[in-house]
Amino acid sequence: MSQDLFAPSSADRARALADALLSIDAVSLRPHDPFTWSSGLAAPIYCDNRQTLAHPSVRERIADGFAEAVREYDGTSLTVAGTATAGIPHAAWLADRIEAPMAYVRDSAKGHGQGRRIEGARPGPGDEVVVVEDLISTGRSALNAAAAVRETGANVSSVLAIFSYGLDAAATAFREAGVPCHVLTTFPVLLDVARRQHSLSADAEALLNDWQADPEAWSHEHGG
């Protein structure tokens, strides 16, 4: 279910980006020595796409992928809205690439000044907006940003993200919200690339697949 929703449009682009993310440690795999996420869950994978900021060639690959994703809206005036904070730089590069207005969406409205939640461009009724996020985990932050955009009367054409863990909870949340999502590369693609090009063992791959199937049960079994 989740893999269908988040399937990338270009297999070659997805594989090349997965290889790049692994090579720069933007995505790290430690199935035998799990990470502890901020939620307290133990997980065999950790994604920190902020690492892409330090690598111009990877940034360009991501911007190219996002620009390709929005070509289906050719002829439509789009506003690009990044999620604060991780989506902001990628939204800026995309907006520059397609010469579109840009905004960013705060987690909550600013507590002083004009009290805005959406900064920069101001979408309104009839406008089309793409929301840029770096990572889809549960989908909560991207969908909260999409909800804030919808409150202005604008339509969210899509959420764009660099990578998705492909969790069923996220797929369910996006379907219930009625928000399309386009990701450049996914968990299954990344595992295949890690096995073929980065020496991921069959045992480690099995542990990662077990985690994706039930993250909470996996965490409980591995000390989370």
Side-chain angles (χ1 to χ4, degrees):
M1 177 174 66
S2 56
Q3 294 177 17
D4 291 338
L5 179 68
F6 299 125
S9 58
S10 169
D12 289 343
R13 189 190 300 278
R15 292 185 64 82
L17 181 56
D19 181 41
L21 295 178
L22 288 164
S23 296
I24 67 172
D25 292 324
V27 178
S28 300
L29 306 176
R30 282 193 345 213
H32 298 290
D33 181 22
F35 299 95
T36 300
W37 286 4
S38 59
S39 62
L41 290 176
I45 183 170
Y46 187 77
C47 180
D48 180 8
N49 281 325
R50 292 174 180 83
Q51 296 296 323
T52 63
L53 307 186
H55 299 272
S57 63
V58 181
R59 297 196 321 245
E60 183 175 7
R61 189 184 298 276
I62 292 166
D64 286 344
F66 284 160
E68 179 68 26
V70 301
R71 283 186 182 173
E72 65 181 276
Y73 308 117
D74 188 36
T76 301
S77 179
L78 288 175
T79 295
V80 178
T83 59
T85 58
I88 292 175
H90 298 289
W93 291 315
L94 172 60
D96 187 62
R97 186 70 58 93
I98 65 173
E99 299 183 341
M102 183 204 152
Y104 71 87
V105 186
R106 298 176 179 273
D107 291 337
S108 58
K110 189 165 61 174
H112 58 280
Q114 294 180 318
R116 291 188 182 129
R117 185 171 178 193
I118 300 177
E119 302 281 9
R122 300 184 192 178
D127 291 337
E128 294 289 332
V129 179
V130 290
V131 173
V132 175
E133 177 68 289
D134 73 323
L135 168 69
I136 301 297
S137 178
T138 64
R140 183 182 306 168
S141 63
L143 289 174
N144 282 346
V149 170
R150 283 175 161 179
E151 286 174 3
T152 70
N155 177 57
V156 176
S157 303
S158 181
V159 167
L160 308 179
I162 299 169
F163 177 66
S164 166
Y165 291 129
L167 302 180
D168 283 343
T172 298
F174 272 90
R175 287 199 176 98
E176 289 179 348
V179 175
C181 184
H182 181 99
V183 298
L184 299 184
T185 194
T186 62
F187 184 84
V189 172
L190 185 118
L191 286 197
D192 186 59
V193 169
R195 176 169 51 82
R196 295 173 183 269
Q197 298 172 221
H198 294 264
S199 303
L200 182 71
S201 69
D203 176 57
E205 185 178 12
L207 285 170
L208 284 152
N209 280 317
D210 287 346
W211 167 79
Q212 191 202 35
D214 193 337
E216 291 193 9
W218 196 97
S219 174
H220 181 72
E221 292 174 5
H222 293 82

